Amino acid sequence: MTLKAEGMMFRVFILLIGFGLAVSGGVSLIMYLNLLTTGMNYQEYFSFISTRVECYLLIVGMIFIAASVYTPKNQKHQ
């Protein structure tokens, strides 16, 4: 396997990890939307989800996805 293919596989791996984390965080946020039906207002909802670790997975996953897509390729000319 060439160096270029190994770098591309690493980027795909980071992309898939980021996608999984983003999906987990997004599902958690949607799940916690049920708290609004129990009488919570939006300020209490955002205060609650800011204390939950699993809700930060959405942000971390989106950072991983952006890093895998937008980092420049390591091109070495021989």
Side-chain angles (χ1 to χ4, degrees):
M1 195 181 290
T2 65
L3 186 62
K4 183 177 180 182
E6 289 175 3
M8 187 62 141
M9 290 302 295
F10 179 73
R11 290 170 67 134
V12 168
F13 179 71
I14 295 298
L15 178 77
L16 292 175
I17 294 294
F19 182 75
L21 290 174
V23 166
S24 298
V27 167
S28 296
L29 285 175
I30 292 171
M31 180 183 66
Y32 286 133
L33 277 173
N34 287 326
L35 294 173
L36 294 174
T37 62
T38 63
M40 266 190 179
N41 58 23
Y42 286 108
Q43 183 180 7
E44 292 170 337
Y45 171 72
F46 288 119
S47 175
F48 177 75
I49 64 169
S50 67
T51 63
R52 308 301 298 179
V53 176
E54 61 268 14
C55 294
Y56 289 114
L57 292 177
L58 176 66
I59 297 168
V60 172
M62 292 176 81
I63 290 170
F64 274 35
I65 292 170
S68 69
V69 171
Y70 293 118
T71 53
K73 294 179 183 175
N74 197 6
Q75 296 178 352
K76 294 182 180 179
H77 294 29
Q78 294 180 357

